[in-house]
């Protein structure tokens, strides 16, 4: 068992504070996101599931934009270009499969913004 309260918070880009944990086959990030914060467009080989815990977030996947709110879940396919914007303060739990090896050494702006190649 792991405890989110014992994981150090990281600030990879303005408005995003995340805590990362890994299982054998998945990675998880618990985000606290400030209203107005922007997630730059990027893609990765990992399938991603976005679970809205609190707040409202505008998520664009490819050419489709959706407004997500508390309790909603969105799946982002592998290699899909995606971006977003926090419409309010948000708490989001992201799950990735397979493991985000690039997150093992910490969340960085280069990884989050899509600058790192996998």
């Amino acid at each position: 068992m792991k405890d989110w309260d014992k994981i150090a918070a990281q600030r990879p880009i303005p408005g995003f504070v995340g805590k990362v944990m890994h299982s054998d086959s998945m990675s998880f990030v618990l985000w606290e996101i400030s209203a107005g914060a922007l997630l730059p467009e990027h893609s990765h080989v990992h399938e991603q599931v976005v679970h809205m815990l609190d707040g409202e977030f505008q998520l664009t996947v490819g050419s489709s934009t959706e407004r997500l709110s508390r309790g909603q879940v969105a799946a982002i396919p592998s290699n899909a270009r995606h971006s977003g914007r926090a419409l309010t303060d948000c708490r989001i739990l992201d799950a990735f499969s397979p493991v985000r090896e690039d997150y093992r050494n910490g969340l960085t702006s280069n990884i989050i913004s899509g600058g790192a190649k996998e």
Side-chain angles (χ1 to χ4, degrees), residues 52-70:
M52 293 297 301
L53 302 175
D54 287 304
E56 293 188 352
F57 193 84
Q58 180 175 295
L59 178 66
T60 300
V61 180
S63 61
S64 176
T65 300
E66 300 288 336
R67 184 181 187 127
L68 302 175
S69 59
R70 179 186 168 100

Side-chain angles (χ1 to χ4, degrees), residues 20-114:
V20 180
M21 71 170 64
H22 307 279
S23 70
D24 289 340
S25 61
M26 299 176 71
S27 295
F28 305 89
V29 183
L30 181 61
W31 292 108
E32 300 277 344
I33 307 170
S34 300
L38 298 175
L39 177 65
E41 184 178 73
H42 66 287
S43 65
H44 40 74
V45 300
H46 311 85
E47 183 177 15
Q48 179 178 350
V49 176
V50 179
H51 183 177
M52 293 297 301
L53 302 175
D54 287 304
E56 293 188 352
F57 193 84
Q58 180 175 295
L59 178 66
T60 300
V61 180
S63 61
S64 176
T65 300
E66 300 288 336
R67 184 181 187 127
L68 302 175
S69 59
R70 179 186 168 100
Q72 292 185 307
V73 175
I76 302 171
S78 174
N79 295 312
R81 301 290 301 169
H82 57 284
S83 61
R85 180 171 62 97
L87 302 174
T88 66
D89 288 345
C90 297
R91 285 183 55 239
I92 295 176
L93 178 62
D94 279 338
F96 299 91
S97 179
V99 169
R100 292 288 307 244
E101 294 296 339
D102 54 345
Y103 283 7
R104 288 208 188 267
N105 295 318
L107 299 171
T108 67
S109 62
N110 194 42
I111 292 170
I112 301 298
S113 67

